[in-house]
Amino acid sequence: MRFLLRLPQTHLRKLSSSMSLLMGSKQFLEFCLLPSFAAAASSSPSYTRGVQRQLSSVSRRFRPVLASRPVSKSSPYHQRPNGVSPYTSVSRSPTPVDPEDGAVQSRLANLRLKLAENGIDAQNCPSGQYSGLICPECEGGDSGEKSLSLFIAADCSSATWNCFRGKCGLKGGVRVDGRFTTSVVPVGKVERKVTVESLELEPLCDEIEDYFAARMISAETLKRNRVMQKRIGDEIVIAFTYWQRGELVSVKYRYLTKKFFQEKNTRRIFYGLDDIEKASEIIIVEGEIDKLAMEEAGLRNCVSVPDGAPASVSSKETPPEEKDTKYKFLWNCNDYLKKASRIVIATDGDGAGQALAEEVARRLGKERCWRVKWPKKSDDEHYKDANEVLMSMGPHSLSEAVRSAEPYPIQGLFSFKDFFDEIDAYYHRTHGHEYGVSSGWKTLDNFYSVVPGELTVVTGVPNSGKSEWIDALLCNLNHSVGWKFALCSMENKVRDHGRKLLEKHIQKPFFDADYGRSVPRMSVEELDEGKLWLDDTFTLIRCELDSLPSIGWVLERAKAAVLRHGIRGLVIDPYNELDHQRTQRQTETEYVSQMLTKIKRFAQHHSCHVWFVAHPKQLQQWDGGPPNLYDISGSAHFINKCDNGIVIHRNRDEKAGPLDLVQICVRKVRNKVAGQIGDAYLCYDRATGLFSDSPITPEKPERRSSRRP
């Protein structure tokens, strides 16, 4: 590089100009030459200053020309991750103005703050240059391209921006006077006025009319809808003209190869808008040809969306009108749409068409929307759109498909038609448990049977045998129909609960103790077989932490047991062993109501029967008789919300009958198919824990109250 210092200034000027043209950057010359200048500065300072002035002059003359439009994200030059588009200047200087100028820096800081208020992050954008950013309005569309071009004036007195996406076109500007920002002037998209003459539209030629005739669209329909054509080079394109109250608003063009484009900066409205001006029922289709097909079927109250369908339903909330750019046509036509009491959405049957239907319905209100289901083309395929139905099945079938439109689905709102298959299966007893599953005791089956998806609340005074009876019931259900269960029994140790279940299954006592000496103890082999049965039949839900489990925690584990082990029953025993924390404003009655609702939803959703044990409150002046369901501690909702209510009562008076007599009081049955209110009597075998039908039925004593008068 040192030889350059010995060249005449005229030669150096030419060489510098060539290198500046090649590299387009002052910094490249400085990078190459300044080290040599520094080495020679001591010998010829005046010459060095002269060369530097020449380089600066050359750099100013050949400063690179900037692109006027942003570079696509697919371009190989789109690599910078700092938020600035690659079409910004390659200059390493953040601003062409003097960085030491405090007034300029203050204006730039204020300008960036005002831009941030408009959603534009300009922290890395230098002045005097164009920068590419993500548009705050359209967010770059589906591709997320940096379509917003931002220009900050060299003196930092103003900034302007423009989005180059055709479907957005956001423009705006901000001006700074002195040290303070004084105004923001957003520049909206200016709608163009178009006419048939200015766009050079022509009547349809025979070739285009033949194209529509092949699609069963008549010349009369084309003429009424003012379908025209336009010559673009050597090609003729179809021109679908958009009119509003007799004024041409926009035009959408279609090549015969199914490529589309629209006139820019024109108002976006429905195609065929004037046909629904006074209609109380309107039809919305996805394309202009589908609108023409509807007219061939005698349905003129039809419009088409201007922009086709999105790829999928947006996961975001519906934006407000001023930001809903994708569906601006709906807001522009709101005066027409708000008069309609019934809107039939007849978009294409593919995924994009269904996504469009959802986006339109949630803006117009699903309660007044109906949806067309296109006829079947084969066993596993439907016709795609209105024109395909017209071409394949004729105008009558098309109009019939529209008349057969179904109400648009609304979450939580159903018709009985949606459940006809389930009702038929219930009538024919397809599932086999429509009457409920036998309890295993004939005397009790007259009053109570176990129906999947129901909630049974069980109560009784302490030491009445509530848990023992439920365990015996579970064993009966497993032996008869093979059901499996989840046990959330907080009052029992696992080993004690296992002993009780094994005794009922093997029908022998676990220990050779006083309670079971009348029957031989189960053998080791029987114990081993019983353990396998225990593990296969029951799943335990237990909270090993110091804190009590909440009902939500229990139901989450029960759901896992349904999916993992296929349980058909859940036991929660008892209510007072759960965590019942609630807000200060929530009463116990409100809490119990919400808790029982959660349990019932779990039971119904998973077709799982739930037994919920709840103790009665402390009875005043108890006379030894069975309590009733309203005596349950906590709330009357225990009886109000359950499907079945059962009171277990054991005889404690020798004069009233045998001490092993257990009274099963069925006090509520919601489903009359499964049972009725009444009492059954069982005998309890203390040695094995088994219950059996009682051969005697004691006379019912005169009804006595367990409450204080």
Side-chain angles (χ1 to χ4, degrees), residues 174-454:
V174 61
R175 179 178 294 279
V176 177
D177 293 332
R179 297 178 58 190
F180 301 100
T181 302
T182 59
S183 63
V184 177
V185 186
V187 182
K189 185 186 295 186
V190 178
E191 293 182 355
R192 289 172 53 212
K193 298 296 183 180
V194 295
T195 63
V196 172
E197 293 75 20
S198 66
L199 299 177
E200 300 180 345
L201 303 183
E202 305 172 350
L204 293 177
C205 63
D206 293 341
E207 179 185 356
I208 300 297
E209 287 190 352
D210 291 342
Y211 169 81
F212 280 105
R215 291 176 167 268
M216 296 186 68
I217 307 298
S218 66
E220 181 183 352
T221 298
L222 295 173
K223 183 178 180 180
R224 197 193 75 83
N225 288 275
R226 290 180 275 195
V227 181
M228 306 184 78
Q229 68 181 37
K230 181 181 177 71
R231 297 183 183 272
I232 301 178
D234 297 333
E235 291 191 75
I236 298 176
V237 297
I238 303 169
F240 295 104
T241 56
Y242 283 64
W243 300 80
Q244 185 174 11
R245 296 188 174 97
E247 177 188 359
L248 182 62
V249 172
S250 182
V251 180
K252 182 176 178 181
Y253 302 101
R254 173 187 171 124
Y255 287 89
L256 296 183
T257 55
K258 207 177 178 180
K259 281 179 56 180
F260 297 91
F261 69 96
Q262 297 185 41
E263 288 291 343
K264 295 182 178 179
N265 298 333
T266 55
R267 191 185 317 157
R268 296 170 62 210
I269 60 172
F270 280 114
Y271 177 68
L273 181 61
D274 287 343
D275 288 340
I276 64 168
E277 185 168 12
K278 297 181 180 180
S280 60
E281 177 178 333
I282 65 175
I283 305 167
I284 298 177
V285 295
E286 190 173 326
E288 291 82 3
I289 294 182
D290 292 327
K291 150 56 177 177
L292 302 177
M294 288 290 184
E295 186 163 325
E296 293 294 340
L299 303 170
R300 286 191 178 182
N301 56 326
C302 177
V303 291
S304 169
V305 300
D307 298 327
S312 60
V313 178
S314 174
S315 58
K316 301 178 181 178
E317 293 185 0
T318 304
E321 177 181 350
E322 62 274 9
K323 293 186 177 181
D324 198 9
T325 55
K326 173 69 176 174
Y327 299 93
K328 190 70 175 177
F329 63 92
L330 291 173
W331 303 105
N332 290 340
C333 303
N334 190 44
D335 288 343
Y336 295 77
L337 297 171
K338 66 184 181 182
K339 301 174 185 177
S341 58
R342 176 182 165 97
I343 300 173
V344 179
I345 301 178
T347 53
D348 290 2
D350 56 12
Q354 297 305 308
L356 175 62
E358 178 65 20
E359 294 289 0
V360 170
R362 72 183 195 172
R363 285 165 173 80
L364 300 182
K366 294 181 180 180
E367 65 277 0
R368 59 176 180 153
C369 290
W370 271 252
R371 185 173 63 181
V372 171
K373 185 175 182 180
W374 299 117
K376 279 192 173 184
K377 182 187 297 185
S378 61
D379 291 340
D380 55 354
E381 188 178 3
H382 288 77
Y383 287 103
K384 179 177 177 289
D385 54 32
N387 188 236
E388 193 173 58
V389 174
L390 175 67
M391 295 171 61
S392 301
M393 303 181 67
H396 176 73
S397 296
L398 177 55
S399 61
E400 185 62 29
V402 174
R403 282 195 294 269
S404 302
E406 300 177 349
Y408 201 92
I410 297 177
Q411 186 176 6
L413 186 64
F414 304 94
S415 64
F416 264 109
K417 183 180 179 181
D418 300 326
F419 298 92
F420 279 174
D421 291 341
E422 185 176 340
I423 293 174
D424 289 341
Y426 189 40
Y427 176 81
H428 295 289
R429 300 183 62 189
T430 303
H431 301 298
H433 302 318
E434 287 75 14
Y435 293 172
V437 181
S438 170
S439 66
W441 301 292
K442 292 182 180 180
T443 55
L444 181 59
D445 286 342
N446 295 327
F447 308 106
Y448 174 74
S449 56
V450 182
V451 178
E454 291 189 350

Side-chain angles (χ1 to χ4, degrees), residues 641-675:
K641 289 208 165 188
C642 68
D643 297 296
N644 308 284
I646 294 178
V647 178
I648 306 296
H649 184 65
R650 184 171 62 85
N651 180 37
R652 291 172 171 81
D653 186 0
E654 293 184 357
K655 298 179 180 179
L659 296 179
D660 61 356
L661 191 65
V662 178
Q663 183 179 356
I664 312 298
C665 310
V666 180
R667 292 293 176 257
K668 180 182 179 181
V669 178
R670 190 188 302 277
N671 182 4
K672 67 180 182 180
V673 175

Side-chain angles (χ1 to χ4, degrees), residues 117-186:
E117 293 176 2
N118 286 269
I120 300 174
D121 181 8
Q123 291 303 313
N124 295 325
C125 299
S127 61
Q129 301 178 20
Y130 286 92
S131 301
L133 302 169
I134 296 292
C135 175
E137 183 71 20
C138 66
E139 298 182 350
D142 295 335
S143 62
E145 65 177 322
K146 294 179 179 178
S147 58
L148 186 75
S149 177
L150 172 69
F151 180 76
I152 299 178
D155 61 355
C156 301
S157 62
S158 63
T160 57
W161 58 88
N162 181 17
C163 179
F164 287 100
R165 288 191 73 244
K167 295 183 179 181
C168 178
L170 175 72
K171 295 182 181 180
V174 61
R175 179 178 294 279
V176 177
D177 293 332
R179 297 178 58 190
F180 301 100
T181 302
T182 59
S183 63
V184 177
V185 186

Side-chain angles (χ1 to χ4, degrees), residues 542-572:
R542 300 185 69 84
C543 184
E544 300 298 333
L545 303 177
D546 292 337
S547 59
L548 296 175
S550 66
I551 190 62
W553 186 91
V554 172
L555 295 180
E556 285 179 5
R557 272 67 187 171
K559 177 182 177 181
V562 170
L563 300 176
R564 180 173 294 184
H565 303 293
I567 66 165
R568 300 300 304 275
L570 168 66
V571 176
I572 303 175

